[in-house]
Amino acid sequence: MTPFETIRGALSESGIDDCAAIPLSAVKIPKKYLLDRFGLSPESACAVMAVIPYYTPFCEGDRNISAYAVGKAYHLFWKKVCDAVLPGLKVAFPLNTFVGFTDHSPLAEVNAAACAGLGFVGDNGLLIPPKYASCVFIASIITDAPCEDGFPAAIPQTPPTCPHCGACRRACPTGAIGRDGKDAVCLSALTQKKGVLSIREEELLRESGSVWGCDVCQEVCPFFKKAKKENTIMTKIPFFYDDPLPCLTQEVLDRMEENAAKERAWFWHGRSVPARNAALIAKNDRPKEDRFQ
């Protein structure tokens, strides 16, 4: 088997069914130093991009955190995948280098995945594979092994984009999407902001009812609605069904042990940020369905 076929087969064994390759020379590389650490060159290396669906039935119904954070942090899943896959690749292709990345990546991941043919870029900046809507994580295995058989038939100079229906822009709680959002802050970013919040920022958090993240722009997207209707949005990966936590309160934070908390995406800045948000949300007595109306 070719290197790409081997990688694709190994990822499939971990439940990842959607991957494609792209030469690094065709994508944006904002953190080249991460390639330099492993002696990989943008001129000769390529990336096998993978989309990892995370949406489960536990993301439905009442929750106060983003759907991506309901399960355990996906970085843990990708580490398990890499621990299982990379040693075998190095044995099969001993003259080549294979390195796994996600989130902290040398690549502009959305750009690379879209150029590889795995979806298109929404006006909210997220990758949208039609089957899963934007409810995916992006990961990559970067290698200097030849993976041309995984390249798209025609590599675009710029990534494909969504049809620009405007639904996400109109629904954005802070006006952060599109031309009107020059001075606006994404609500998801606001829920993750450290330090002291302004009075307006506190009001936005109370109004949102969100302790961590925001899914408004995703949930109004026609592709999200279509994926739910056709029941393709749900992940089949067992990891994301393990120990779901749709609602995060101060009580939950207080009783959660440190090691368990570290397995959650919302623990990125420690307990203080979600605890602050939970306290603000607790002061809002307005029904959730009335917020932002």
Side-chain angles (χ1 to χ4, degrees), residues 17 58 68 95 130 214 240 282:
D17 296 327
F58 300 108
Y68 82 86
L95 301 181
C214 176
F240 297 107

Side-chain angles (χ1 to χ4, degrees), residues 4 7-8 10-12 14-22 47-53 74 77-78 81-82 85 100-103 105 107 109-110 112-114 116-119 127 129 132 135-142 150 237:
F4 175 72
I7 294 172
R8 180 173 60 185
L11 292 179
S12 180
S14 295
I16 302 171
D17 296 327
D18 298 88
C19 66
I22 190 82
V48 177
M49 305 301 301
V51 291
I52 304 170
Y74 71 98
F77 170 71
W78 184 242
V81 172
C82 289
V85 169
F101 293 98
T102 189
D103 197 15
S105 170
L107 312 178
E109 293 179 311
V110 172
L118 292 174
L127 180 74
Y132 306 117
C135 298
V136 296
F137 300 121
I138 305 173
S140 65
I141 292 177
I142 299 179
I237 300 174

Side-chain angles (χ1 to χ4, degrees), residues 97-255:
T97 298
F98 299 88
V99 187
F101 293 98
T102 189
D103 197 15
H104 186 54
S105 170
L107 312 178
E109 293 179 311
V110 172
N111 168 275
C115 286
L118 292 174
F120 45 84
V121 183
D123 285 342
N124 56 7
L126 300 178
L127 180 74
I128 304 177
K131 182 164 63 172
Y132 306 117
S134 52
C135 298
V136 296
F137 300 121
I138 305 173
S140 65
I141 292 177
I142 299 179
T143 179
D144 53 9
C147 290
E148 289 84 352
D149 54 322
F151 292 173
I155 299 175
Q157 292 186 344
T158 58
T161 59
C162 72
H164 311 298
C165 72
C168 62
R169 178 180 56 80
R170 291 190 296 271
C172 178
T174 64
I177 299 174
R179 195 182 314 170
D180 296 334
K182 290 181 180 179
D183 299 318
V185 177
C186 168
L187 180 61
S188 181
L190 181 58
T191 66
Q192 301 174 44
K193 182 178 178 179
K194 299 171 67 176
V196 179
L197 300 179
S198 69
I199 294 176
R200 176 55 181 157
E201 288 172 336
E202 289 187 352
E203 289 175 349
L204 283 170
L205 281 181
R206 278 196 295 267
E207 288 289 303
S208 74
S210 178
V211 173
W212 186 266
C214 176
D215 292 338
V216 171
C217 65
Q218 298 185 77
E219 293 173 348
V220 299
C221 176
F223 289 94
F224 178 87
K225 296 177 180 179
K226 185 173 185 290
K228 287 194 69 174
K229 182 178 179 180
E230 297 179 354
N231 201 31
T232 61
I233 199 170
M234 297 293 175
T235 184
K236 297 178 182 178
I237 300 174
F239 175 88
F240 297 107
Y241 289 81
D242 182 30
D243 196 16
L245 181 63
C247 291
L248 184 60
T249 63
Q250 187 61 59
E251 182 183 2
V252 171
L253 281 166
D254 289 342
R255 70 169 183 259

Side-chain angles (χ1 to χ4, degrees), residues 27 29 42 83 104 116 131 140 181 192 243 256 261 286 289 291:
V27 300
I29 307 175
D83 288 346
H104 186 54
K131 182 164 63 172
S140 65
Q192 301 174 44
D243 196 16
M256 184 173 288
R286 288 179 62 190
E289 59 271 18
R291 296 167 191 163

